[in-house]
Amino acid sequence: MYLANSKKGSDEERVDALRKAIDLVSQVAVKQAPSLEELNNEILKIFPDDKEAHKALGHIQYLGAYEKYKGKWLTKEDYAKVQKEWRKLREEEAKRKAEEAERLKWTKDAFAKKAARTRDYFKKDVSKVPGLKLKFFFDTPQVPKPYFLMVEDRPSPDPQQTAEVLGPGLAALRKTFAAGYPKGTFPNWDDTEFVVPVMVFANEKSYENYRKHGHGFFPGTGLAAAFYTSHSEIPEAFRGVLYVWQGAKEAKFYHEVFHEATHQLMHNACKGERMGPTPWLEEGIAEYWGTYQGNKYKGFTFGHFLHGRFPTIQSAASSYYQALKKGKKTGSFLTPKQMLGIDQKRFEIMKRILDNRIKGTPQQRIEAGLTVSLIYAQGWAFIYFCYNFKDGKYKEAFEKMVHDELRYEYSFDKCAEYLGMKSDEDWERLNKEFFLFCFRTMRRLANR
Ligand SMILES: [Zn+2]
């Protein structure tokens, strides 16, 4: 009877009849009765959204974020399918967004485009090196412009972690270095468009592997952690590359990295593509800024007293006093006058004698070894002296030398002028000021 009624009348009346039929069928056994499923489906033919009928059929209403199915009643199977489809859509969307972000990352501004050219060059560069892959980091809070870190990509050490430790240190050095000179000292300084590339190897072995495959002219790992090359295949994107390999003890590692990074900063600040040529100034300044305090957690400060060079400085000062006593002009030291006059040519010859590219007499080798070591140590000591003697009596003079060096205009005569040296007596006085500072003030600093 209910079934008969369900065939006629208004929609409401028909559904009412079907419900009664459902009640009946679920309470008593009725011969040849339609199944509950059939009855509920009949209701849905009339009211496709009928909640009760759907629930009775075990359907689930979709209340998720997939707009197409919002509020719809679905069988369990369809529900699972919709969820799976939605997840897939979301994943595709995320992938698209990531790809778009990646594309934008390498194209969004002049820096990004130069970074992309640099990346392409080095990807090709390392493609000949078995087992070496790079991951790139730039323009992030940890690796701010203009640094462009190319970190060896392997499970350990984690490249991201490496970038986030090294990036802030290099950025701190760059900031301190730039703030350390009066306006107008640098003929060139670009924090936003020019790329400053740093390649970071997982360890010494990996750097040696790189060297073996196409970079045999690079220095070996006699250095503990880093070296800078002023060579660039894409001079419109970057000037030179800082190479760093991990594994050295922290203090040594950072000192060498900051030393070499200062060479890179000096080169970036230069007027042209060439590096500044003056050995004592270039090495001294790298030692000066490379002498840091702090660590990756606390942050770094620079320009501190360099304990590692103190023994050399101390014996140079002693040798000066001995020579003075004997009325001699030379010994195991360089007077500021001697040092300021050593140019790149002489320095190169000494270095060549030392690594046997030029055959020198034993005496020449000894002298070259001493002078090269003194150029590093006294170069640093002289800069430290300029900054700290009598509250920076010669600081301005040194800054003017940096100004000239960065423009390839350094000369001994101009140094003499900046320092106020007009006569031999002036130079004698400077010797005394300098070596006394080295002997006494530095000893106090060393013992602190
Ligand atoms: Zn150096």
Side-chain angles (χ1 to χ4, degrees), residues 259-260 263 282-283 286-287 376:
H259 174 110
E260 298 298 326
H263 284 317
E282 295 291 335
E283 292 309 337
E287 284 293 70
Y376 279 79

Side-chain angles (χ1 to χ4, degrees), residues 385-403:
F385 163 77
C386 287
Y387 275 89
N388 294 289
F389 176 68
K390 284 193 180 167
D391 294 326
K393 184 178 171 189
Y394 297 112
K395 182 168 175 275
E396 212 184 300
F398 174 67
E399 286 164 355
K400 285 179 179 165
M401 294 177 210
V402 174
H403 174 281

Side-chain angles (χ1 to χ4, degrees), residues 99-139:
E99 278 166 5
E100 176 58 14
E102 180 70 7
R103 196 188 61 77
L104 208 68
K105 185 178 148 191
W106 297 100
T107 53
K108 67 175 177 185
D109 53 26
F111 182 90
K113 285 173 196 159
K114 284 174 186 172
R117 293 192 59 193
T118 310
R119 170 202 61 190
D120 293 344
Y121 171 76
F122 282 100
K123 267 191 167 177
K124 207 175 144 205
D125 180 52
V126 302
S127 67
K128 302 160 242 163
V129 186
L132 180 59
K133 275 207 189 75
L134 299 174
K135 212 166 175 176
F136 305 94
F137 302 89
F138 65 96
D139 196 9

